[in-house]
Structures are given as C-alpha cells and as structure tokens.
C-alpha cells in the first residue's frame, strides 16, 4: 500500500516518528535509541543545551546531522516574547527554519498557554519560520494556529511525560478531520499500543521522548514504537472493519454451499 510522505513546510520525510533527546541514561543509549526508532527528525530543547560541559561537547555533538534533521524547540518558555527569541537563536545556531513552538502556561501540568502560543506563532510565521506548535487537544485552537500559517498542529495526547496515552481520542479525530495541515500528536504516549491507537485515529505523525527514554530498555522501546507507528498508519490506511453488536460468521453458509458446487 502506497503512502504519501510527511510534508512539513518545504521539508519531506518518510518516517512518521519524531523523537526527543531528554531523560536518557546516557548519550550512547540515546544514539542507539534514535537509530532503532527509524526517526528522521530529532527535537532538541535549545534552552537546555549545556554550553559549559567540561568535555567541550554539547548535546548537538551526539546527533549525526547528516542523518537526522534537528527540530529545535522552545521548551522552557512561558511567554511569546521568550519563545520568539529562543526560536531566533535556534535559527542562527542550527541554520534551520524549523521550530517546534512551546509556550507553557502552567509549571505543574505543563499545559500550553493558548493565547501566548498563538501570538508567538503569528510572529514566527511572519518571520519566515516553519512553525510546528504544541497545543492542547482543542479543535478551535488548532484551527486558529493553522489559519495563522503554521505548517502543522501538535495537540497533546496527555500531559507531557505522563505516559497516559490518548486521553481524548474524539478531540484528536475532530482536529484531524478539520485540519488541512499535518496533525502530529505530541506528548503522553507511553507505550507501543498508545502509539498504534494514535496513528489509527489518522494523525500524520507522533512526537515522543519520555515513553522511549524512560523505558527500562530505551533501545528496545524505540524499536517497538517504530513498529507501532508503522502498524497504526497501515491499519488507518487499510480501513478497519465496521464494529457490530452481534456476531457475524467468518465463513457464511452460502459461501460454503457455493464452493461445494464448483
């Protein structure tokens, strides 16, 4: 079954799994997990890059930029002004127009501030960025971000790092039905079944970090997530059977009788 590529602005990808760089037990494990995931995009929190490491290395030195597209993000920002400045610094550092926009409204839940996210998105789009905004599972906010010129919308499945899976599949379905840009579920995926369920809803891609990094075996979980994303996407494209209240025989009698007469 043929499938289209994931298109984010002027960028095209075949993998529909985007992975993060935080919470891994070591940089070597992170690199091995990235490879096992099959991802082509790796997201990096610009505000959390340690430029004072005694080794002289930063997180960016552990990512093969000839192999992965780096998606800088504005994690740690709590207002539009800081998010825009962080995005501009990321563009200078990484020479990319891509930015994952995060403007957090609450430090405990890490839910996004919708008003500040919209303000930052409008400014960044005007400034020439390919904006991928993290937002709540709110169809109205997602449509407003799309109308502001964002290249995709990234509704959460559940709070960041919670591993709760898709808490409100109905909102995600509505967002996908109304969107004309890619829908990327961001945050909350905890295991492979969560990933498959999200992809079966028809979303275009998943972004995850903690679900892989915090697993007992991050490399094995990265491979599991890769397979789940592929399986969920294929199931969505294939089209599931209709749900029925009563049983329906797998081998109806008329088919058996008909075959016996041949």
């Amino acid at each position: 079954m043929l499938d289209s590529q994931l298109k984010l602005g002027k960028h095209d990808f075949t993998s529909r799994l985007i992975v993060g760089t935080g919470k891994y037990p070591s940089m070597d494990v992170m690199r091995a997990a990235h490879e096992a995931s099959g991802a082509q995009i790796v997201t990096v929190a610009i505000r959390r890059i340690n430029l004072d490491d005694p080794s002289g290395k930063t997180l960016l030195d552990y990512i093969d930029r000839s192999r992965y597209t780096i998606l800088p993000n504005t994690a740690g920002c709590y207002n539009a002004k800081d998010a825009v400045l962080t995005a501009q610094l990321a563009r200078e550092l990484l020479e990319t127009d891509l930015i994952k926009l995060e403007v957090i409204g609450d430090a405990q839940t890490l839910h996004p501030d919708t008003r500040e996210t919209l303000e930052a998105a409008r400014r960044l789009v005007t400034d020439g960025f390919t904006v991928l905004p993290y937002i709540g599972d709110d169809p109205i906010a997602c449509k407003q971000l799309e109308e502001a010129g964002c290249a995709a919308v990234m509704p959460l499945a559940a709070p960041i790092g919670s591993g709760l899976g898709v808490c409100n599949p109905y909102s995600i379905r509505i967002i996908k039905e109304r969107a004309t840009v890619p829908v990327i579920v961001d945050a909350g995926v905890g295991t492979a079944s969560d990933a498959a369920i999200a992809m079966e809803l028809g979303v275009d891609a998943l972004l995850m970090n903690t679900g892989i990094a915090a697993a007992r075996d991050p490399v094995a979980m990265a491979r599991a997530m890769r397979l789940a994303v592929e399986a969920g996407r294929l199931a969505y494209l294939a089209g599931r059977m209709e749900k029925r209240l009563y049983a329906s025989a797998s081998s109806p009698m008329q088919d058996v009788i008909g075959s016996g007469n041949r």
Side-chain angles (χ1 to χ4, degrees), residues 57-235:
K57 289 186 175 183
T58 71
L59 172 62
L60 298 174
D61 293 306
Y62 294 92
I63 301 172
D64 183 354
R65 295 180 63 181
S66 67
R67 184 173 182 178
Y68 301 105
T69 295
I70 294 182
L71 172 61
N73 68 64
T74 64
C77 293
Y78 283 80
N79 58 65
K81 179 181 177 181
D82 287 349
V84 170
L85 176 59
T86 301
Q88 291 169 339
L89 291 172
R91 181 166 59 184
E92 292 299 316
L93 176 64
L94 300 172
E95 298 180 336
T96 180
D97 66 304
L98 288 166
I99 191 70
K100 181 196 170 191
L101 174 61
E102 293 185 34
V103 186
I104 300 301
D106 179 76
Q108 183 176 26
T109 64
L110 299 181
H111 276 227
D113 184 319
T114 301
R115 183 178 63 182
E116 292 292 306
T117 299
L118 278 165
E119 173 62 22
R122 293 186 179 109
R123 291 169 60 181
L124 290 170
V125 168
T126 300
D127 197 18
F129 283 89
T130 298
V131 182
L132 314 177
Y134 162 70
I135 195 67
D137 55 352
D138 178 354
I140 305 303
C142 286
K143 180 53 68 174
Q144 290 173 333
L145 286 164
E146 180 183 334
E147 291 171 349
C150 293
V153 290
M154 304 181 73
L156 56 79
I160 292 173
S162 68
L164 292 173
V166 181
C167 290
N168 195 342
Y170 308 104
S171 287
I172 299 296
R173 285 179 59 185
I174 292 170
I175 291 167
K176 177 57 186 173
E177 286 176 5
R178 295 182 176 182
T180 60
V181 296
V183 176
I184 303 171
V185 163
D186 179 15
V189 173
T191 191
S193 58
D194 298 335
I197 288 169
M199 293 303 296
E200 286 175 8
L201 293 173
V203 302
D204 299 277
L206 299 182
L207 189 151
M208 64 183 72
N209 182 73
T210 308
I212 295 175
R216 286 194 300 271
D217 185 337
V219 178
M221 184 60 80
R223 176 166 169 75
M225 293 295 195
R226 173 183 185 172
L227 295 173
V229 167
E230 292 173 356
R233 178 66 178 178
L234 189 58

